[in-house]
Amino acid sequence: VGASGLWQFMAATGKMYDLEINSLVDERFDPHKSTEAAIQYLKDLYSKYGDWNLVIAAYNCGPGRVDKAISRSGGQTDYWAIYPYLPKETRGYVPIFIAATYIMNYFQEHNIVPDECPKPASMDSMVVNKTLHFRQISDMLNVPIEDIRKFNPQFKTDVIPGDYKGYTLNLPIDNLTAFIKNEDAIYAYKRDELLSHRKIAGANVVGGAPLGSTTLTHRVKRGDTLAKLASQY
């Protein structure tokens, strides 16, 4: 239904917790920023309900639906008491969470063996203040572009819009050291070829259309589709 990223934020909730979401950047996919936002959201929900089962339910379906279920149950504030009044998915969500917590603590009793986690690369980050394409980094530093995407999943189109504001670039330490040594050459590499559209579009791609821009109104008729209207306009 539109929830995205490690913490499955809806866009409205993500923006409420200062996550940037637009055509180039979606910080719901930034592991660090989205985790900080999720922690604050969970803290806010706990300050509201004072009960972790209700917090987990509200995280899944939203506090508005939990409040409605509490009201329909006659003011009960126990998850199991409001259970019949919650959405179907949320009725399963909390038990699944409990089951997952149980398995993490009692896996040995059920002959479950944790898999080995491969050691991650030693990472570091720096702030990029110029617009940069992943291909510029990949070609100049000989880093697979798939790895750059994996390390920086918040950038949706392989473009870091640094001309708009500073953004964090994450790379393995050795690659980041090489980036700093060759920074000017990397920014200059195939810039006109890879970033030609961004030079025309500028910050409006990130910041949105200016106030007062013209709005077109279309009266929907039989046979209209989103694809047809997108092509038409």
Side-chain angles (χ1 to χ4, degrees):
V1 296
S4 295
L6 179 66
W7 289 94
Q8 288 293 287
F9 272 112
M10 297 293 288
T13 309
K15 289 180 178 180
M16 189 165 60
Y17 285 88
D18 298 325
L19 296 179
E20 183 176 332
I21 303 167
N22 53 57
S23 62
L24 293 181
V25 181
D26 190 340
E27 289 182 339
R28 292 177 294 177
F29 290 92
D30 183 314
H32 181 76
K33 288 188 176 181
S34 67
T35 298
E36 287 191 332
I39 289 168
Q40 189 57 55
Y41 186 34
L42 290 167
K43 283 182 175 180
D44 290 346
L45 290 173
Y46 189 79
S47 68
K48 175 180 174 67
Y49 294 113
D51 179 278
W52 282 112
N53 283 340
L54 294 183
V55 168
I56 296 165
Y59 194 93
N60 177 246
C61 68
R65 288 186 174 179
V66 171
D67 291 346
K68 185 176 180 180
I70 290 172
S71 176
R72 292 178 64 191
S73 71
Q76 298 282 341
T77 55
D78 175 74
Y79 170 78
W80 302 105
I82 69 170
Y83 179 92
Y85 306 102
L86 290 167
K88 182 179 180 181
E89 180 187 340
T90 308
R91 294 201 299 269
Y93 190 78
V94 173
I96 288 171
F97 187 94
I98 294 170
T101 305
Y102 173 84
I103 287 296
M104 287 175 66
N105 285 279
Y106 297 100
F107 58 90
Q108 291 175 319
E109 281 82 344
H110 301 278
N111 297 317
I112 295 173
V113 181
D115 196 7
E116 289 293 324
C117 180
K119 185 178 179 181
S122 296
M123 302 292 294
D124 204 349
S125 61
M126 65 172 287
V127 175
V128 171
N129 290 303
K130 294 181 181 178
T131 297
L132 185 66
H133 197 288
F134 285 176
R135 179 59 63 188
Q136 293 172 288
I137 305 170
S138 176
D139 288 358
M140 292 293 287
L141 300 184
N142 196 28
V143 181
I145 197 166
E146 293 79 12
D147 287 353
I148 302 172
R149 290 169 181 153
K150 180 173 66 177
F151 301 143
N152 301 274
Q154 65 271 35
F155 300 111
K156 297 165 67 174
T157 62
D158 292 350
V159 172
I160 304 174
D163 288 341
Y164 174 64
K165 70 175 188 181
Y167 289 96
T168 300
L169 169 67
N170 304 301
L171 288 173
I173 290 176
D174 291 346
N175 297 136
L176 198 69
T177 301
F179 182 97
I180 293 170
K181 288 181 179 178
N182 300 281
E183 193 167 352
D184 290 341
I186 292 171
Y187 282 125
Y189 174 76
K190 291 188 176 181
R191 181 172 179 82
D192 290 342
E193 174 185 334
L194 293 169
L195 300 171
S196 58
H197 170 66
R198 298 300 160 205
K199 291 172 70 175
I200 297 169
N204 282 346
V205 172
V206 175
L211 294 175
S213 58
T214 302
T215 299
L216 293 174
T217 300
H218 176 89
R219 186 177 295 278
V220 179
K221 59 183 181 296
R222 185 182 297 276
D224 280 350
T225 65
L226 290 177
K228 179 180 176 182
L229 295 178
S231 176
Q232 180 179 339
Y233 291 107

